[in-house]
Amino acid sequence: MKHDNSPVNTTPQPDSKSDIVKRSRVKGMPIHQEIQSDIKNKILSNEWNPGARVPTEQELMEIYQCSRMTVNKALSTLVASGMVVRKRRKGTFVAMPRADEPLLAIQDIRAEVLATDSMYSFTLLYRDIRTITDTVEASHIGVPVNAKMLCLDVMHYADNLPFALESRQINLAVVPDVANEEFTDIPPGSWLLNNVPWSEGEHSLRAITADDVLAKQLSVSPGTACISIARRTWLSGELITFVRLIYPGERHRFLVRFGPGPAAGQWAPPKR
């Protein structure tokens, strides 16, 4: 696993209830809104940095002298707004900055993470070479029957928090040198971008919810909304790689830049 160093965060983290100094009660403000406001102010003032732990429900109940239901209502609203994230059996944390990925480009995940001022690392979870013998699978991937594919599963991290789960197949007929690459210092996507030219690409994007297995892998709660991207790239009509990337939705968003001219498939006035 390779790490890229970024500036170390030395700001004290909110590890106890003493980090919230309760303000004078605002007349008429419901307690759950007061909790939301206090936590939001800590985050927006950068007193609590991304990844910082929010006081536990029990601690907030003691500070605000309220019920668990009231605290849960406040935290659920903050989770829905994207300001905090809940991790099963670990607690509630200030959300990491969302990475912007241009939807119409092939992004280097390592560069995405470093752009958020986070430390990047990755772990190779699975590696194998297999022959595609099923005609339906071969057609879905976009390779001939009996094509040999290098299959890889990779977890990408931002500050040791799962950022994206990658499942990739690389066509060894087009990229034979990749069979000898160990991926100890560079992830597969970065290696391909650095070593293999491509002439055409395709993105397919959909929203999914994390089941128990995926939630455990990504350190999110079951049912969390995730973004799944299926991507194919070709060189002169031959498939280079087919990859599926799954991002926790709360940690990622996509950016599309466009101009006023008509795009492919859109109506345009007839030429005169």
Side-chain angles (χ1 to χ4, degrees):
M1 181 169 64
K2 179 71 175 177
H3 292 271
D4 287 293
N5 292 326
S6 60
V8 176
N9 175 13
T10 58
T11 303
Q13 303 297 302
D15 288 327
S16 72
K17 64 183 180 180
S18 62
D19 285 293
I20 284 187
V21 179
K22 191 165 157 311
R23 304 171 304 166
S24 298
R25 179 62 52 81
V26 178
K27 187 176 181 180
M29 177 183 283
I31 297 177
H32 75 275
Q33 290 184 7
E34 186 176 351
I35 298 171
Q36 291 172 35
S37 178
D38 287 350
I39 293 176
K40 187 180 296 185
N41 287 338
K42 293 282 187 181
I43 295 172
L44 294 178
S45 67
N46 293 321
E47 190 170 341
W48 290 358
N49 290 328
R53 189 180 74 84
V54 174
T56 65
E57 288 189 1
Q58 185 63 43
E59 290 170 342
L60 291 171
M61 288 165 57
E62 293 176 9
I63 294 169
Y64 291 91
Q65 294 296 294
C66 62
S67 68
R68 185 177 298 275
M69 183 180 297
T70 298
V71 170
N72 187 269
K73 184 176 181 180
L75 293 178
S76 296
T77 301
L78 290 168
V79 168
S81 71
M83 297 196 77
V84 302
V85 294
R86 279 174 164 165
K87 300 180 187 178
R88 195 175 182 182
R89 292 191 291 271
K90 291 183 179 180
T92 304
F93 298 82
V94 178
M96 301 296 293
R98 295 185 180 187
D100 290 339
E101 178 177 342
L103 187 57
L104 303 180
I106 295 179
Q107 286 292 100
D108 184 344
I109 294 180
R110 173 180 174 274
E112 289 182 59
V113 172
L114 294 177
T116 68
D117 294 325
S118 300
M119 184 181 71
Y120 171 76
S121 60
F122 72 94
T123 300
L124 185 62
L125 305 174
Y126 172 83
R127 178 195 178 105
D128 192 22
I129 293 177
R130 58 189 290 262
T131 302
I132 307 299
T133 57
D134 182 76
T135 55
V136 175
E137 183 181 11
S139 176
H140 170 68
I141 296 172
V143 293
V145 174
N146 294 323
K148 290 189 180 297
M149 309 291 289
L150 175 62
C151 303
L152 305 160
D153 287 345
V154 181
M155 182 64 77
H156 302 269
Y157 299 89
D159 287 339
N160 297 318
L161 186 68
F163 182 80
L165 177 62
E166 170 184 341
S167 297
R168 182 181 295 274
Q169 299 187 57
I170 303 174
N171 187 356
L172 292 177
V174 178
V175 195
D177 292 346
V178 76
N180 299 318
E181 179 59 43
E182 296 182 356
F183 300 114
T184 54
D185 298 319
I186 185 171
S190 300
W191 187 92
L192 287 169
L193 286 173
N194 292 340
N195 293 278
V196 182
W198 59 281
S199 56
E200 188 178 359
E202 172 190 90
H203 280 155
S204 174
L205 183 148
R206 66 190 180 102
I208 64 172
T209 56
D211 59 18
D212 290 343
V213 174
L214 181 59
K216 185 176 181 180
Q217 289 177 302
L218 294 176
S219 296
V220 297
S221 300
T224 295
C226 297
I227 302 168
S228 174
I229 301 173
R231 177 185 296 155
R232 294 173 177 83
T233 52
W234 293 270
L235 177 62
S236 302
E238 290 190 284
L239 182 87
I240 299 170
T241 184
F242 170 64
V243 61
R244 188 175 302 280
L245 302 165
I246 301 178
Y247 297 85
E250 62 200 9
R251 300 175 202 156
H252 208 82
R253 69 180 181 181
F254 292 90
L255 177 68
V256 177
R257 181 171 295 176
F258 55 91
Q266 291 184 328
W267 178 88
K271 293 182 180 179
R272 297 183 181 275

